[in-house]
Amino acid sequence: MRLLFLAPLAPKTGNHTTAERIRVHIESAGHTCELRDAAEFQSPAEVTNLISQKPAFDGALAIHLFKAGRHLLDIPVPFGVIFGGTDINEDVKVEKKRVVMQQVLLKARFAVAFTNKLKEEAELFLLPQRNKIFVQPQGIKTEVTKNFCWTEFLRSSGVRGDHVDEARVFLLVCGLRRVKDPVYLVEAFSGWHHEDPLNVLVIIGPKMDPVLTLEVEALVKRTAGVFLTQERSQQELHAAMKRCFAVVNSSISEGMSAAILEAMDLEVPVLARDIPGNAAVVQHGFTGLLYSSPQEFVHQSQRLLSDPELRERVVRNGKLYVEAHHSSEHERETYRQLVDTLR
């Protein structure tokens, strides 16, 4: 089959990474899958025209019910949708968007949610399509670059001092956009850094929102103990995650954070903001630690520092959890089977 795959494809985002991984799964089954950025299209009519061009497409896929799914409403071939996270967590609150997403879900042959919680939210706010929505957690595969220098990474990130290698680095992995709330922990962390200068927070990720990026850059410049570094390749990022003390998530909303799961796979402790998308994969005190305020973040971080048994437990259980529930091979088989329903 020849499939059109629409998704929000801003570089180095979770949606982009997920879409590329799923595209590979589909093509490994012998299909042709053309991945396109949903932002390229201004209306459903443009996608309908593309679908009909020779050689014609036999079916379509979309990540994100509103940003991509709305463009598939008028196409003459069957399609499936994959929830992005913000569509179910945020866009459903806007009536005009919710109505469109209901239509998309009604017409879709299947829908995929990353978690049971996301499926339940979709059924509650959109349509009770129980037999149409499948739960398939994201498959995770990490790869660490061999030629990675931790000291150089820290110095290039702005971390200075005679004992830079002794720094306890909390790595906040996120694109600079509002939904990731990269400034949420800055003030509280800086206060903690003044008490213990070895604790530093490094924010790493693509600069996606120009206005927010300027705000973060200005804040970091005047805040001790907090640093903003440039994005790295996936392999370099995984190498940095592997060396840091803990990986941090401070998002307002998540579908399923790949960075959290990658940290677990790399056997690094996770400190995640207590939101539904994170709580679906982080069991507090067992596979990671959750916090609901900047002050609680500091408290949980202190627990992780002072309790080696706690650290060992969340690392061990996090690794086991990813191996059991986020197999890339199982994900590939699921998408192969779902795509076959588009025939």
Side-chain angles (χ1 to χ4, degrees):
M1 281 196 299
R2 186 165 186 254
L3 300 172
L4 176 65
F5 191 179
L6 294 188
L9 294 180
K12 307 294 176 66
T13 60
N15 279 335
H16 195 162
T17 303
T18 299
E20 184 58 34
R21 190 177 66 250
I22 293 171
R23 183 193 65 78
V24 171
H25 290 334
I26 293 168
E27 295 203 329
S28 72
H31 304 297
T32 299
C33 185
E34 184 172 325
L35 181 59
R36 298 285 291 268
D37 189 350
E40 290 179 34
F41 304 96
Q42 301 302 312
S43 70
E46 293 181 25
V47 177
T48 301
N49 290 336
L50 175 63
I51 286 278
S52 303
Q53 289 175 7
K54 301 295 183 184
F57 289 93
D58 304 300
L61 282 173
I63 292 181
H64 202 286
L65 274 178
F66 186 75
K67 290 180 180 177
R70 62 192 167 118
H71 292 310
L72 303 183
L73 278 172
D74 298 327
I75 63 173
V77 296
F79 66 88
V81 293
I82 302 160
F83 301 150
T86 54
D87 45 7
I88 306 302
N89 292 328
E90 302 296 328
D91 290 339
V92 291
K93 300 170 186 175
V94 181
E95 186 177 357
K96 286 184 179 179
K97 291 183 178 180
R98 185 172 66 251
V99 169
V100 171
M101 292 192 293
Q102 286 173 335
Q103 293 173 341
V104 173
L105 189 54
L106 194 61
K107 288 197 70 174
R109 191 158 287 184
F110 65 81
V112 178
F114 295 142
T115 66
N116 284 307
K117 180 69 174 175
L118 213 56
K119 177 181 179 179
E120 291 166 6
E121 293 289 308
E123 291 171 346
L124 177 64
F125 291 108
L126 296 174
L127 292 172
Q129 301 279 308
R130 295 184 184 278
N131 296 328
K132 185 179 284 189
I133 303 175
F134 298 84
V135 176
Q136 173 55 55
Q138 295 206 61
I140 293 299
K141 195 171 186 178
T142 56
E143 185 179 352
V144 175
T145 186
K146 293 181 174 66
N147 303 314
F148 181 76
C149 178
W150 179 237
T151 303
E152 175 54 34
F153 171 80
L154 292 179
R155 293 195 185 280
S156 66
S157 302
V159 183
R160 301 281 187 263
D162 296 331
H163 306 288
V164 67
D165 285 334
E166 297 175 18
R168 285 187 290 268
V169 178
F170 292 76
L171 198 64
L172 174 55
V173 181
C174 68
L176 297 188
R177 51 191 181 123
R178 300 284 174 186
V179 73
K180 299 299 182 181
D181 207 1
V183 302
Y184 183 64
L185 298 172
V186 169
E187 186 178 341
F189 196 101
S190 184
W192 187 36
H193 168 79
H194 282 294
E195 297 174 15
D196 187 346
L198 287 179
N199 300 323
V200 298
L201 177 67
V202 176
I203 304 169
I204 182 169
K207 298 174 179 180
M208 301 175 65
D209 180 332
V211 175
L212 179 61
T213 295
L214 291 174
E215 291 176 18
V216 174
E217 288 173 342
L219 183 61
V220 165
K221 278 183 182 177
R222 63 176 186 267
T223 306
V226 181
F227 304 89
L228 176 64
T229 191
Q230 65 186 38
E231 61 181 303
R232 304 300 205 278
S233 71
Q234 191 79 346
Q235 291 81 7
E236 289 175 316
L237 175 61
H238 288 165
M241 291 167 70
K242 184 73 175 173
R243 288 296 306 268
C244 75
F245 182 78
V247 167
V248 179
N249 175 289
S250 62
S251 297
I252 295 169
S253 173
E254 287 282 3
M256 177 174 283
S257 168
I260 286 177
L261 298 171
E262 288 163 355
M264 290 179 176
D265 191 54
L266 291 165
E267 299 180 80
V268 178
V270 170
L271 286 150
R273 193 167 177 173
D274 193 357
I275 56 174
N278 289 344
V281 295
V282 178
Q283 186 178 345
H284 183 63
F286 188 72
T287 59
L289 296 172
L290 296 170
Y291 64 89
S292 54
S293 70
Q295 293 71 33
E296 190 179 359
F297 166 82
V298 173
H299 171 68
Q300 297 298 341
S301 298
Q302 289 170 332
R303 286 183 64 203
L304 202 57
L305 277 168
S306 62
D307 188 344
E309 289 184 9
L310 171 64
R311 181 183 178 86
E312 182 182 336
R313 182 169 68 249
V314 299
V315 164
R316 180 179 65 251
N317 292 329
K319 178 69 171 179
L320 291 172
Y321 169 78
V322 168
E323 289 177 344
H325 299 284
H326 296 275
S327 158
S328 183
E329 290 74 19
H330 186 271
E331 181 187 50
R332 180 172 64 245
E333 187 56 34
T334 295
Y335 282 105
R336 281 182 171 187
Q337 291 176 9
L338 289 174
V339 163
D340 280 343
T341 69
L342 299 178
R343 292 183 185 274

